[in-house]
Amino acid sequence: MNSSLHKLSIKVIAFMVVIFSSLTLYAQQTSRTVADFDKGWKFHLGNVASAEKKTANDKSWRTLNLPHDWSVEGEFNKDNPATQEGGALPGGIGWYRKTFTVPAASKNKLVYIDFDGVYQHSDVWINGHHLGFRPNGYISFRYELTPYLNFGGTNVIAVKVNNQEQPNSRWYSGSGIYRNVWLVTTNKTAIDHWGTYVTTPKVNADSATVAIDVKVKNPAHAHYRTQVLIYDAENKIVSTGGGVPSAQQWADTTATLSNKLKVVKPNLWLVNRPYLYKVVTQVFIGTNKVDEYTTPLGIRYFEFDADKGFLLNGEPLKILGVCDHHDLGSLGAAVNTRALERQLQILKAMGCNGIRTSHNPPAPELLDLCDKMGFIVMDEAFDMWKMQKNKYDYHLYWDEWHKRDLEDQLLRDRNHPSVFIWSIGNEIVEQFSKTDTSGRNIARELAGIVHNLDTTRPITAANNEPQTHNNLIASGALDLIGYNYHHQDYESFHKRYPGKKFIATETNSALQTRGHYDMPSDSIRRWPPSWDTKDFKGNPDNTVSAYDNVSAYWGSTHEETWKVMKKFDFLSGMYIWTGFDYLGEPTPYKWPSRSSYFGIIDLAGFPKDVYYMYQSEWTNKPVLHLFPHWNWEPGKTVDVWAYYNNADEVELFLNGKSMGVKNKTGDDLHVMWRLKFEPGTIKAVSRKNGTVVLTKEIHTAGAPAKIELIADRKIINAGSKDLSFITVRILDKAGNIVPNADNRVKFAVAGGSLVSVDNGDPVSHDSFRADNRKAFNGLALAIIKGRETPGDITFTATAEGLKPATITLKTK
């Protein structure tokens, strides 16, 4: 090659490098990045002086990934200040630090950190600069980092979490950065935080009008324009819009642009077919796209009618919902999308179509899942206002923070199609007073905040004294009159509130221990019998019968409330207390109980028997559920129940001999036989028009002989966030589950790791983080995650005297 040609080649290569570098920089400049910021944090439990400083020494601190709940890692103890009402687990102060770099190429951009939730009293610093304080443990918040960053060098974010002052919650709260954290980078001209508002003001079978408000930050006063694209579920564009701001909007540092688009022949969002579109909003300066932001869209219309109840897309629909607290059983408060999805799948299979976020703003992932899976969400804001329920609760911060916190919740959640109702409070103390009516003004203020940011959804509050003198109801601020309990007053609702609309915000408070049965089953018990009962005894082992015949004094059994709810159209729906057992609030007991008995499903995710009553009522799938187990003392009188549907009758057999045919009459929801126990087999046969629909058998189990492992999913994603839930069953040699088995099972994992263990026992004080667990009434649970790279996971369970079991999972 001659010298001139060589020089030309060098120039061409250099020119291409410049072009490539420019294209790379252009790509960086035109994209919004939302980076998962959960990995590689340092954690220290306990206060540390000057830990906010960039130069603080954290080398000896524990390294972990978020989300993280340090309380669930602790020991159950009756002396923990949270008490058994708060789960009897420790609180305290914790510090988190993370060292990270931001590329020099981002110097002309804006960088933010988003926290989905920190419990509680969080202070955040970047490179020693204090960014702010948020007392509310359930609210999402953002800080801008840009002015304090060392672009191209190292930076340190420090977070102090203070959950030391307790009790501050009536249930288990968890402690720490227990939700996800994100690092967000945008151009200077970009859509603001939670900066879109999408509504569907007009919907019919032929078309839907989609209104989009877009708030754009533009500190440089650039001449930008917007483009709006609506994509269907197949990722096809079905509508477009956009516009050019006015000269005044360009001159403003923030401006809101409004668009109206039309979708022809829309697929409507339904609970059994939750069709999702997405709205993609783009910002251009000239021909350069400088931002893009995606908003979920479910096209639906609904109303609450005083006489017809709830209607979705013009069709009557009873809301069949549950209330749930935010903990995920043995995982504690640390949010995990798969764990949430599993809970919703179990509820969906029961026929549930509604979730109340008791009693706080939920994790964003829960609402994403409810959008996709078809749940009607009551999104709740507060458990107390100015008047306290606990000494150290949110009432201390109400005056300064309630407006900001409610606004942040509304802005974050108002685009979710699953959100149908705003609840501004649960059993608020201000509802009761006949002399201090300040609660009326607060209710009106909160309703005004809601209406200022969203006019498309009704407002309610959960009232446990829903009389006409109730200050929240008397305020006129509530669109829906929310009843907590009082099922005996449902039928006369319109006599008390003519022309008003009803929602059962919280029902039942029925109590069960999975797999435990007290005879007789046909007498209803209120445990405890009244609010002022002292030294309530119950059962010596702190169990509650799993027949549906026990409730708290303020509530009802499941059947008592459902019998009323199903009769009247104007009763728009119900949210049962609760879907799942949760840590804390172990009514009717105190210590040594440490978790609730209210759930239709236990803490480990195993359904109690009443689950199948709802399944028989709320679904069309054939159901025949027979209980209890068939291991009793010879001659003992045992009540045998069956829940069933899609059949006229059920016949029960004991060791081949008919015990009679039963059918539901009147408002019956189950059938029952009273038998003298003899070992062998009970068999139920349901029939319709003489044809067998289903058959179920329960055998007297022998001694524990072997372990069975059942994974909810055998293929999971590699990494720390996807989980497999493995049910551990103790069987006799014939393969029957042993209903009273309590063998301690040890676990070993190769190719992955054991995240936590459980068994659903509300009295167990074993650590959730152990490598073993006793079975509880024949069952235990192990939760597994994979490594960062794909491969096989081998999980083995062993117990003394039992045949071991092994299961292989795959990560992809």
Side-chain angles (χ1 to χ4, degrees), residues 709 711 713-715 791-795 806-810:
L709 302 176
R713 294 182 308 149
K714 289 189 174 182
I715 301 175
D792 289 350
I793 304 172
T794 303
F795 177 78
T806 298
I807 191 170
T808 300
L809 314 177
K810 292 187 178 294

Side-chain angles (χ1 to χ4, degrees), residues 385 430-431 439-440 443-444 460-483 493 496-497 500:
W385 294 351
E430 283 89 341
Q431 72 182 296
R440 301 184 185 193
R444 294 182 189 116
T460 193
N463 302 287
N464 54 327
E465 188 176 308
Q467 315 299 328
T468 52
H469 64 260
N470 177 301
N471 286 311
L472 280 62
I473 297 172
S475 72
L478 306 182
D479 304 304
L480 305 176
I481 307 300
Y483 271 48
F493 173 77
R496 180 177 291 166
Y497 296 111
K500 297 295 184 180

Side-chain angles (χ1 to χ4, degrees), residues 380-391:
E380 193 152 71
F382 303 112
D383 189 49
M384 77 293 296
W385 294 351
K386 286 175 71 73
M387 294 184 181
Q388 73 180 59
K389 291 183 178 179
N390 280 298
K391 181 178 180 180

Side-chain angles (χ1 to χ4, degrees), residues 170-171 359-360 381-385 389 425-429:
R170 298 186 302 110
W171 59 89
H359 302 291
N360 46 261
F382 303 112
D383 189 49
M384 77 293 296
W385 294 351
K389 291 183 178 179
N426 171 66
E427 298 183 352
I428 297 301
V429 178

Side-chain angles (χ1 to χ4, degrees), residues 764-794:
S764 172
H765 299 155
D766 287 351
S767 172
F768 292 132
R769 294 295 185 265
D771 64 356
N772 64 88
R773 194 70 169 186
K774 290 183 72 173
F776 178 63
N777 292 335
L779 299 177
L781 177 75
I783 304 175
I784 306 299
K785 68 179 180 181
R787 293 175 176 169
E788 294 296 323
T789 55
D792 289 350
I793 304 172
T794 303

Side-chain angles (χ1 to χ4, degrees), residues 435-738:
T435 56
D436 180 359
T437 59
S438 60
R440 301 184 185 193
N441 292 330
I442 296 174
R444 294 182 189 116
E445 180 209 2
L446 298 178
I449 294 169
V450 174
H451 288 144
N452 186 51
L453 292 173
D454 181 43
T455 59
T456 69
R457 297 171 176 90
I459 298 169
T460 193
N463 302 287
N464 54 327
E465 188 176 308
Q467 315 299 328
T468 52
H469 64 260
N470 177 301
N471 286 311
L472 280 62
I473 297 172
S475 72
L478 306 182
D479 304 304
L480 305 176
I481 307 300
Y483 271 48
N484 277 18
Y485 310 103
H486 295 271
H487 71 284
Q488 64 274 12
D489 296 334
Y490 290 0
E491 186 174 355
S492 60
F493 173 77
H494 279 143
K495 293 181 181 178
R496 180 177 291 166
Y497 296 111
K500 297 295 184 180
K501 303 169 185 178
F502 173 94
I503 184 71
T505 39
E506 186 173 313
T507 69
N508 298 22
S509 279
L511 305 165
Q512 300 95 20
T513 300
R514 175 186 55 77
H516 176 83
Y517 306 94
D518 294 331
M519 312 296 166
S521 67
D522 54 357
S523 61
I524 291 177
R525 305 157 197 179
R526 307 299 181 198
W527 283 11
S530 67
W531 67 270
D532 58 351
T533 300
K534 295 180 180 179
D535 300 322
F536 172 75
K537 298 300 182 183
N539 289 336
D541 58 355
N542 282 26
T543 55
V544 181
S545 180
Y547 293 115
D548 181 27
N549 67 332
V550 187
S551 81
Y553 69 86
W554 61 80
S556 73
T557 66
H558 291 279
E559 291 195 6
E560 284 178 304
T561 290
W562 177 239
K563 285 177 180 179
V564 181
M565 180 63 60
K566 67 186 290 189
K567 285 182 182 178
F568 302 101
D569 290 342
F570 73 86
L571 301 176
S572 59
M574 65 194 296
Y575 290 89
I576 297 163
W577 193 262
T578 54
F580 283 77
D581 282 341
Y582 54 93
L583 289 166
E585 207 172 16
T587 303
Y589 297 110
K590 301 296 184 182
W591 180 265
S593 294
R594 47 67 170 165
S595 60
S596 82
Y597 297 77
F598 293 117
I600 298 169
I601 302 147
D602 78 9
L603 195 71
F606 302 137
K608 303 176 188 179
D609 295 291
V610 77
Y611 176 96
Y612 300 97
M613 185 279 283
Y614 286 112
Q615 194 176 66
S616 72
E617 288 284 300
W618 289 2
T619 76
N620 293 321
K621 68 180 73 172
V623 173
L624 176 58
H625 179 69
L626 185 66
F627 65 102
H629 59 78
W630 204 238
N631 278 57
W632 301 96
E633 295 176 3
K636 181 178 176 64
T637 299
V638 180
D639 292 346
V640 178
W641 286 33
Y643 296 125
Y644 71 95
N645 64 4
N646 296 353
D648 305 317
E649 63 185 31
V650 179
E651 186 171 8
L652 184 71
F653 298 86
L654 172 56
N655 294 329
K657 181 180 178 180
S658 177
M659 297 291 103
V661 175
K662 301 274 187 172
N663 58 11
K664 294 182 283 191
T665 59
D667 60 2
D668 288 347
L669 297 174
H670 73 272
V671 290
M672 186 193 87
W673 297 261
R674 182 160 286 162
L675 308 180
K676 292 290 185 181
F677 172 74
E678 60 182 65
T681 300
I682 53 171
K683 180 174 76 170
V685 180
S686 64
R687 303 186 186 93
K688 188 173 182 66
N689 299 323
T691 301
V692 173
V693 178
L694 290 172
T695 299
K696 291 294 171 71
E697 293 185 357
I698 301 175
H699 305 281
T700 302
K706 58 185 177 181
I707 300 169
E708 181 184 38
L709 302 176
I710 304 171
D712 70 332
R713 294 182 308 149
K714 289 189 174 182
I715 301 175
I716 62 174
N717 293 316
S720 61
K721 295 196 175 185
D722 200 7
L723 303 173
S724 180
F725 291 77
I726 299 177
T727 298
V728 181
R729 289 165 38 105
I730 307 300
L731 308 180
D732 68 6
K733 63 182 181 180
N736 302 303
I737 189 164
V738 182

Side-chain angles (χ1 to χ4, degrees), residues 6-28:
H6 179 68
K7 290 178 181 177
L8 178 62
S9 299
I10 291 174
K11 289 180 180 179
V12 169
I13 291 170
F15 176 73
M16 291 177 68
V17 168
V18 169
I19 291 293
F20 180 78
S21 299
S22 299
L23 287 171
T24 302
L25 182 59
Y26 172 74
Q28 291 172 346

Side-chain angles (χ1 to χ4, degrees), residues 119-121 133 135-138 162-171 173 359 382-399 401 405 426-430:
Y119 201 93
Q120 66 170 349
H121 297 178
F133 166 76
N136 191 325
Y138 297 106
N162 187 344
N163 195 20
Q164 185 168 250
E165 294 181 324
Q166 297 203 19
N168 57 56
S169 175
R170 298 186 302 110
W171 59 89
S173 64
H359 302 291
F382 303 112
D383 189 49
M384 77 293 296
W385 294 351
K386 286 175 71 73
M387 294 184 181
Q388 73 180 59
K389 291 183 178 179
N390 280 298
K391 181 178 180 180
Y392 297 110
D393 66 24
Y394 185 73
H395 82 279
L396 297 170
Y397 302 91
W398 176 263
D399 287 342
W401 284 101
D405 287 342
N426 171 66
E427 298 183 352
I428 297 301
V429 178
E430 283 89 341

